Amino acid sequence: MRHLLITDLDGTLLGPDSRVSDESAHIISDLSSHGAMISIATARTPATVEPLLRDTLTTLPVIVMTGASMWDRKGMRYINPLLLSGPQTDALISAFTDHGISPFVYTLGDNGDMRVYHDSGMTPEESRFHSERSHLTLKRFIFEPPGQYAGQHPDTILILGIGETPRISALAARLRSDPELSVSAYPDLVNPRTSYIEVFRQGVSKAAAVLRLKAMLGADRLTVYGDHINDLPMFAVADEAVAVANALPEVLDAASRTIGPNTLPSVAMDMRKIFYENL
């Protein structure tokens, strides 16, 4: 049986320190080297995925940006990215601006890098967002006046905005009426007066991406691991959905079974058990 094992990162494979533990890295690397079909599905971009998995061998494409693309770790390239069209990008930038929000426009460059465009003027929240990512080697920020955006970015994969929660909510309501878009809006965990909005092309989801990868690999069975509400669609399409013990109640209820918490190498140990049971 070709058994595909896919895990979320934050809160699932990553510990409370936002790292892959040495033991998890060792187990997954050993399994991968012996032919285990292991991958990751995350909202993160390759710019943060690569440093997190530096000591972890995986041989399959990684699902990144909530399923907007796969990432070839060895070749350092995006695989089949789902891009917004040029007209969609221009219309979205105008919609963000109408609601008083200057968007971060994520575009794919050459050689696996990512360019993120934004107005040179930033709010404190936007400045904090930028400073936490400005050191990443696979992501480069470019600051341009808003008028220079139009028609320049046909390779856009994501448009992200940060703003006051009422503004973000109004923008999200407007954009969700467009069936050609996939829209996610959520409050900041520390300061709920600030919210984020992410806009992808229609059809972008972890669930759709894990099914594409399963079909691409010819896998017979799919097991997924998660902890958060955004993992529930992925749970719904898996043959087996596994929650870590620290998962949210809704995730625990939806799971086929529950393993240990992310404070332990629970996901890696469960993958090892499944792999050797299938031999």
Side-chain angles (χ1 to χ4, degrees):
M1 179 181 293
R2 294 174 61 78
H3 196 151
L4 177 58
L5 309 169
I6 297 183
T7 180
D8 172 52
L9 277 180
D10 293 89
T12 306
L13 181 62
L14 301 186
D17 58 354
S18 295
R19 291 181 60 254
V20 179
S21 72
D22 292 342
E23 186 171 0
S24 290
H26 174 75
I27 292 171
I28 292 175
S29 297
D30 182 65
L31 292 174
S32 295
S33 68
H34 284 86
M37 300 173 66
I38 296 174
S39 187
I40 309 292
T42 179
R44 291 176 177 268
T45 68
T48 55
V49 169
E50 282 301 326
L52 288 170
L53 298 182
R54 181 180 295 114
D55 299 320
T56 306
L57 171 67
T58 61
T59 58
L60 302 183
V62 173
I63 294 165
V64 294
M65 303 183 75
T66 316
S69 184
M70 294 184 198
W71 173 251
D72 175 3
R73 295 190 63 204
K74 184 176 181 180
M76 298 292 280
R77 63 185 182 92
Y78 290 91
I79 302 173
N80 299 325
L82 301 177
L83 301 177
L84 292 159
S85 68
Q88 281 179 316
T89 299
D90 291 344
L92 284 167
I93 291 169
S94 295
F96 273 67
T97 303
D98 289 347
H99 287 265
I101 301 164
S102 182
F104 289 90
V105 181
Y106 285 64
T107 71
L108 303 187
D110 300 324
N111 303 316
D113 69 327
M114 174 176 285
R115 300 186 181 106
V116 184
Y117 294 83
H118 191 274
D119 182 8
S120 56
M122 290 193 288
T123 66
E125 292 79 12
E126 291 168 342
S127 294
R128 188 177 309 112
F129 179 86
H130 165 253
S131 65
E132 291 172 353
R133 294 157 176 81
S134 59
H135 65 286
L136 298 171
T137 57
L138 291 176
K139 182 184 292 183
R140 182 161 61 95
F141 287 84
I142 299 172
F143 297 99
E144 292 183 344
Q148 294 185 16
Y149 284 137
Q152 290 194 6
H153 310 307
D155 49 358
T156 299
I157 192 168
L158 163 66
I159 298 184
L160 179 145
I162 307 170
E164 297 171 357
T165 294
R167 292 178 184 266
I168 294 291
S169 297
L171 176 59
R174 172 179 170 179
L175 297 180
R176 284 181 177 133
S177 65
D178 186 339
E180 298 301 315
L181 301 175
S182 177
V183 181
S184 174
Y186 49 93
D188 184 85
L189 293 176
V190 177
N191 177 18
R193 291 176 296 179
T194 296
S195 286
Y196 298 79
I197 182 169
E198 298 175 345
V199 185
F200 295 97
R201 198 178 90 179
Q202 186 273 337
V204 169
S205 71
K206 280 186 178 181
V210 297
L211 289 179
R212 284 197 299 273
L213 184 58
K214 180 184 179 184
M216 189 171 90
L217 298 171
D220 305 300
R221 185 169 176 80
L222 171 65
T223 294
V224 301
Y225 300 83
D227 75 304
H228 203 271
I229 291 172
N230 63 3
D231 295 317
L232 290 177
M234 187 168 66
F235 273 30
V237 301
D239 298 297
E240 183 182 41
V242 183
V244 285
N246 55 284
L248 294 177
E250 300 94 322
V251 180
L252 293 169
D253 289 342
S256 308
R257 58 188 177 87
T258 302
I259 57 175
N262 71 329
T263 52
L264 299 171
S266 304
V267 169
M269 290 191 297
D270 194 71
M271 288 178 168
R272 181 169 60 188
K273 180 174 181 289
I274 288 173
F275 178 71
Y276 284 110
E277 283 178 346
N278 286 340
L279 288 181

